[in-house]
Amino acid sequence: MERKNNAPEIQTQELPEGLSLAKSGNLFGTTSIAGAYKFTVQASNSYAEDKREYELVLLFS
């Protein structure tokens, strides 16, 4: 079955509690947990699929 909309589907894992990744690719939310977090973002549509790893460092003072 062919998808009518080619907007990407975005999935991620391992973000700190309170943070989320929107379908637009924007990271949003609130957390108070400092640290370095490695996470993977996987995006796909009917044309292609890609997966990238990122590292987010949160520092609080």
Side-chain angles (χ1 to χ4, degrees):
M1 184 169 148
E2 186 176 325
R3 289 179 52 184
K4 293 180 181 180
N5 183 350
N6 282 315
E9 291 183 25
I10 298 176
Q11 299 176 351
T12 187
Q13 302 173 6
E14 305 162 11
L15 284 172
E17 184 178 328
L19 296 183
S20 299
L21 186 67
K23 287 187 175 189
S24 64
N26 293 329
L27 189 62
F28 67 96
T30 304
T31 187
S32 60
I33 306 169
Y37 300 90
K38 292 184 179 181
F39 62 98
T40 302
V41 176
Q42 182 173 338
S44 62
N45 64 16
S46 61
Y47 296 111
E49 181 176 307
D50 198 10
K51 181 168 52 171
R52 302 274 171 106
E53 292 185 9
Y54 296 92
E55 183 173 9
L56 173 67
V57 179
L58 300 174
L59 305 172
F60 299 98
S61 58

